[in-house]
Amino acid sequence: MRIVITRWGLDSYLDLLHRGVLDAALYRRVLRPDILLLRERNAQPKFKKPKFWGPAIDLRGRAVGDGWKMKWHNFGPHNVQLRLCIALIEADSYLCHAYVKNSGSQDKRMAASLKDKIQLIRRLQHDERGEL
Amino acid sequence: MKERATIGVKMVDTGLPTSFVLRVLELARESEGIDDLLQLWADAPDTAERQAVEAELGATIDDRDGGAGDFVIDSTDAAGELLEQRRRFKARLRRLIAERGGVSAVARRAEMPQPSLSRLLNSMSEPRSSTLHRLADAMDLTVADLCHEARQIQIAPDSVFRVQAGSFLVAAENMKIAITKTTA
């Protein structure tokens, strides 16, 4: 299976670097190894933990189809709640966007945005910037 | 859930560009995600939340209308260098916009929501070609003016276009450049 870095994902990563939420070392040490676990997510116990992995939930309280979130708590030098939205489509994982969670309304906004991105990915109207 | 048309009227009443609102309403019919954003805008408790939704809606429109990198090409795969390039580009864009009346004035002329332009300036996101064209028009500039650094392009011996170190964007009017990895 592929782990695809979308244009949105790369933009998010650069934004997090720019804002000092993480640096390249922290990415390599914490985020990247967790993201690589997507390749074996069915066998990985971490994916059974709601604190680490769960569906994106929309404004109506429903799970977004194929939309998931990877979560890190008290992450980095600023102890933020970091979220990475991922689309699981067929066998592939698409890293869509990451954000520092600061409110429930932001979660809903990000879920709506993920829903739209999933539609674009399904239509092959997305840009890919690389693979992990 | 509120009716889309009702929300659209309210959006125009708050000063959002009519062309933007019409495009959002059109897309909301085919995208549940955009429809959700529309509902979130209607239910937003305050201006800050509304503006956050507007920026998100602006991004979704760009995703569809932006043009997939036909004018804008990152010159490197290295994240650190890419970040510096984007910082320089955004700083230049901020300066040009400030010289031409500021964010609100340029956003109005470009018929884009002010939060969308603010997000473009303050985030490290990749600008889409349609957005660059719209901004350039609103400021009586060309896309090449906005992407000043990107003019340094050279043809490598193997006939592959490569971008010199330090450049950020390649603005190539009427021309699509297929770029391979810039591993000069």
Side-chain angles (χ1 to χ4, degrees), chain A residues 7 11 115-116 129, chain B residues 36 63-64 86 126 128:
Chain A
R7 175 178 59 81
D11 284 351
K115 212 185 261 189
D116 188 54
R129 291 289 183 262
Chain B
D36 283 0
D63 283 336
R64 285 165 175 77
R86 288 197 184 178
E126 177 186 14
R128 310 307 298 250

Side-chain angles (χ1 to χ4, degrees), chain A residues 82-102:
Chain A
L82 185 64
R83 302 288 182 265
L84 173 61
C85 291
I86 298 167
L88 296 183
I89 297 178
E90 294 170 5
D92 296 331
S93 304
Y94 295 81
L95 309 181
C96 286
H97 55 264
Y99 62 99
V100 173
K101 180 183 172 176
N102 53 36

Side-chain angles (χ1 to χ4, degrees), chain B residues 14-40:
Chain B
T14 61
L16 285 171
T18 306
S19 57
F20 169 81
V21 174
L22 289 174
R23 185 70 177 125
V24 166
L25 292 176
E26 183 188 354
L27 293 175
R29 284 201 294 270
E30 63 168 57
S31 164
E32 198 181 313
I34 295 178
D35 195 40
D36 283 0
L37 286 171
L38 209 54
Q39 298 296 333
L40 288 169

Side-chain angles (χ1 to χ4, degrees), chain B residues 60-76:
Chain B
T60 63
I61 290 178
D62 274 358
D63 283 336
R64 285 165 175 77
D65 303 345
D70 47 351
F71 290 100
V72 182
I73 298 163
D74 290 324
S75 67
T76 178

Side-chain angles (χ1 to χ4, degrees), chain B residues 62-121:
Chain B
D62 274 358
D63 283 336
R64 285 165 175 77
D65 303 345
D70 47 351
F71 290 100
V72 182
I73 298 163
D74 290 324
S75 67
T76 178
D77 291 335
E81 191 184 336
L82 186 57
L83 178 60
E84 287 311 311
Q85 290 168 348
R86 288 197 184 178
R87 279 178 176 149
R88 284 198 298 274
F89 172 70
K90 301 285 172 131
R92 175 179 170 77
L93 195 54
R94 273 197 296 274
R95 183 172 57 73
L96 289 170
I97 286 172
E99 288 169 0
R100 283 157 181 81
V103 172
S104 297
V106 171
R108 195 167 48 249
R109 289 199 293 272
E111 294 189 13
M112 60 194 291
Q114 184 257 322
S116 291
L117 183 52
S118 294
R119 178 184 286 192
L120 173 69
L121 294 175

Side-chain angles (χ1 to χ4, degrees), chain A residues 31-99:
Chain A
L31 299 190
R32 196 170 192 277
D34 279 346
I35 294 168
L36 286 172
L37 293 177
L38 283 164
R39 289 214 176 89
E40 47 192 275
R41 67 177 182 278
N42 291 332
Q44 254 297 330
K46 272 190 117 171
F47 286 82
K48 304 256 186 314
K49 294 179 182 170
K51 280 199 142 197
F52 173 74
W53 179 254
I57 304 296
D58 74 7
L59 76 168
R60 297 170 189 81
R62 298 185 312 217
V64 174
D66 300 325
W68 297 85
K69 283 193 296 189
M70 198 172 273
K71 312 170 196 179
W72 294 272
H73 305 270
N74 302 315
F75 175 83
H78 305 300
N79 293 316
V80 299
Q81 311 305 311
L82 185 64
R83 302 288 182 265
L84 173 61
C85 291
I86 298 167
L88 296 183
I89 297 178
E90 294 170 5
D92 296 331
S93 304
Y94 295 81
L95 309 181
C96 286
H97 55 264
Y99 62 99

